[in-house]
Amino acid sequence: MDARLEAIRDTVLARNPGEAEFHQAVVEVFESLGPVHDRHPEFLDAAILERLCEPERQIIFRVPWTDDAGRVQINRGFRVEFNSALGPYKGGLRFHPSVYLGIVKFLGFEQIFKNALTGMPIGGGKGGSDFDPRGRSDAEVMRFCQSFMTELYRHIGEYTDVPAGDIGVGGREIGYLFGQYKRITNRYESGVLTGKGISWGGSLVRPEATGFGTVIFTQEMLKTRGASFDGQRVVVSGSGNVAINAIAKARSLGATVVACSDSSGYIVDEAGIDVGLLREVKEVERGRLKDYAVRRPGVSYVDGGSVWDVDATVALPCATQNELDGGAAARLVRGGLLAVGEGANMPSTRDAVAVFQEAGVLFGPGKAANAGGVATSALEMQQNASRDSWSFEHTEERLTDIMVGIHHRCAATADEYGEPGNYVLGANIGGFVKVAEAMLAQGLI
Ligand code: GLU
């Protein structure tokens, strides 16, 4: 790493003790930014990096609620408003027991660069709670969401901060959150949240956007080697919204998706995963992957273990952070891997990224490859602002253009900085320069 940046990194790490995921995200970005500071010493003079690593505002709050048995439950809520140089803070809410400040900050930090890469006018933020929706009734989830919003509402707004979903927060949760915001404020402010239902201000394609976008970005990477998804053998991790839509899109482009996973195990379906059945099990019944295996002949379910033991030519990690380590990456490379598109945020460890890059595997980092979700959220905000709603075809076309544009920006930036094909460098520098220039223009704030 560049010596000038090392000192800044050390201060950031010391100032934020115990936040391993945030440290990882910061270090990965800093490793790309030396050459930018050679060309732009003004960024150093204005302490852009020091400011970028310090969120503009961090909100932590108590979320009290009662479960169905009448017992009082207490969770912790977070919203980290990281950077508003390019627009209102924008980023999802994650409800998962692993959520703590370090997770929210890594996600918020990544979101700054991701959102900049989309070319849309959105800053970076993230939030969530250590609440675990798994096994909770609809009524419990509603009471939790109402309590969460009873504090959060005072911090958000269509011109201030616009949350959306992430792990554990989908259409159901956004509905309860929006309802409570509307009730408290007495405003039908559609643009305060994205990921809404289609009849109440949502956008077509938003549910599909992250998974579709990941595949579109990966397809663009494959094209640089004269390849495409057609005929690829694909393994996807996860089986939530991102994974399911990535599977659907990869299939539509001619790939065979042979495996996907949940937190208990994974399925191998050599005939190609049946997206209809997967949606039924996961989205309608909120069930587990082993239920898919029971219903479809010829499918094996592996309890525990790693889905990355299954050979693939294209890997789409769509589960969660640090789910694919150096050992798994090496196995995948030995199995003939050509490309990786990250549908999740930071799913590959730094060791894994190094293995992919050394082996010459096309590697699309999450902040570029999975930006289709937040980009379509920005399209939802546009529709809300103009009180309009666009067709599926038009919205999907916009998403495709945005993903092709992000790919182009990352590739062109990597070329410009003398590292062709290095999408990590391209994404980090491409996102950073845009934010840094805006911060410089807006003065010391
Ligand atoms: N949580 C998603 C992400 O990681 C989407 C955020 C949004 O739509 O605001 O980018």
Side-chain angles (χ1 to χ4, degrees):
M1 186 185 298
D2 182 282
R4 297 162 301 178
L5 304 194
E6 267 179 20
I8 304 172
R9 174 203 61 190
D10 291 346
T11 311
V12 172
L13 302 195
R15 182 176 272 161
N16 300 281
E19 297 176 358
E21 298 81 3
F22 178 53
H23 293 185
Q24 185 183 339
V26 166
V27 169
E28 190 244 294
V29 168
F30 274 39
E31 275 171 352
S32 300
L33 295 183
V36 178
H37 289 84
D38 295 336
R39 292 192 195 180
H40 294 280
E42 70 276 18
F43 292 164
L44 283 173
D45 296 340
I48 295 291
L49 269 180
E50 290 91 327
R51 284 195 274 150
L52 201 58
C53 292
E54 185 64 24
E56 291 176 16
R57 193 174 296 109
Q58 306 183 56
I59 303 145
I60 304 180
F61 51 99
R62 181 174 65 207
V63 189
W65 56 286
T66 45
D67 65 20
D68 286 345
R71 277 187 304 262
V72 173
Q73 301 279 344
I74 304 293
N75 286 99
R76 187 171 285 178
F78 301 89
R79 187 70 184 167
V80 173
E81 298 179 335
F82 228 115
N83 191 290
S84 62
L86 300 181
Y89 310 107
K90 182 84 197 84
L93 298 170
R94 176 177 293 191
F95 291 170
H96 190 269
S98 64
V99 168
Y100 76 107
L101 189 58
I103 293 273
V104 181
K105 280 167 68 178
F106 116 66
L107 291 165
F109 187 72
E110 293 260 305
Q111 200 84 45
I112 303 169
F113 303 92
K114 184 196 304 194
N115 294 4
L117 283 169
T118 66
M120 318 292 285
I122 42 179
K126 203 86 186 191
S129 175
D130 57 1
F131 172 71
D132 187 358
R134 177 130 40 110
R136 290 294 179 190
S137 69
D138 284 355
E140 288 177 315
V141 170
M142 182 177 73
R143 286 196 295 276
F144 174 80
C145 288
Q146 290 178 339
S147 180
F148 187 87
M149 185 53 87
T150 301
E151 171 61 31
L152 186 69
Y153 89 95
R154 70 191 80 245
H155 306 290
I156 62 175
E158 66 174 311
Y159 294 107
T160 313
D161 184 356
V162 183
D166 195 84
I167 294 171
V169 178
R172 174 181 62 169
E173 290 74 17
I174 293 294
Y176 297 146
L177 291 164
F178 183 72
Q180 184 73 350
Y181 182 85
K182 180 165 68 75
R183 188 179 194 195
I184 295 172
T185 60
N186 193 30
R187 280 163 65 86
Y188 204 109
E189 188 186 332
S190 301
V192 69
L193 290 171
T194 60
K196 300 180 295 296
I198 207 67
S199 62
W200 43 279
S203 173
L204 288 168
V205 191
R206 179 63 191 87
E208 294 84 1
T210 312
F212 277 23
T214 301
V215 170
I216 297 166
F217 186 94
T218 308
Q219 171 95 331
E220 290 303 300
M221 292 199 298
L222 288 167
K223 279 187 196 164
T224 66
R225 303 257 172 102
S228 75
F229 262 96
D230 196 19
Q232 302 293 346
R233 178 183 164 88
V234 179
V235 169
V236 175
S237 62
S239 48
N241 167 272
V242 180
I244 292 173
N245 289 294
I247 294 169
K249 188 70 174 177
R251 277 190 68 119
S252 77
L253 295 176
T256 306
V257 184
V258 295
C260 69
S261 61
D262 63 19
S263 56
S264 309
Y266 64 91
I267 52 166
V268 182
D269 187 344
E270 288 289 347
I273 287 172
D274 175 338
V275 180
L277 178 59
L278 186 62
R279 283 195 195 281
E280 179 70 25
V281 169
K282 293 292 300 186
E283 292 178 341
V284 180
E285 298 166 18
R286 295 184 186 271
R288 309 292 294 163
L289 273 185
K290 61 174 182 299
D291 304 330
Y292 175 102
V294 167
R295 283 193 227 166
R296 193 162 142 91
V299 175
S300 54
Y301 173 72
V302 182
D303 201 18
S306 166
V307 74
W308 305 123
D309 287 342
V310 183
D311 285 347
T313 55
V314 177
L316 303 174
C318 297
T320 195
Q321 68 277 350
N322 292 330
E323 50 151 310
L324 199 171
D325 63 15
R331 261 196 313 277
L332 284 166
V333 167
R334 283 197 301 275
L337 187 71
L338 202 63
V340 179
E342 291 190 325
N345 292 312
M346 209 168 73
S348 309
T349 64
R350 294 182 60 224
D351 287 352
V353 177
V355 169
F356 292 140
Q357 290 186 324
E358 257 159 51
V361 168
L362 294 162
F363 177 74
K367 61 172 79 76
N370 75 33
V374 76
T376 309
S377 278
L379 299 180
E380 182 172 332
M381 291 162 73
Q382 283 187 17
Q383 292 168 75
N384 295 152
S386 58
R387 299 184 187 278
D388 197 0
S389 53
W390 305 342
S391 69
F392 193 95
E393 293 68 29
H394 174 71
T395 317
E396 193 180 19
E397 214 170 281
R398 292 284 307 264
L399 169 64
T400 303
D401 287 350
I402 291 167
M403 295 315 298
V404 171
I406 295 172
H407 176 271
H408 174 76
R409 220 160 291 140
C410 293
T413 306
D415 286 348
E416 186 190 333
Y417 282 84
E419 294 212 28
N422 186 342
Y423 292 95
V424 173
L425 183 111
N428 287 339
I429 295 185
F432 172 76
V433 169
K434 200 158 179 224
V435 177
E437 283 172 348
M439 287 175 71
L440 209 54
Q442 292 170 20
L444 183 57
I445 53 171

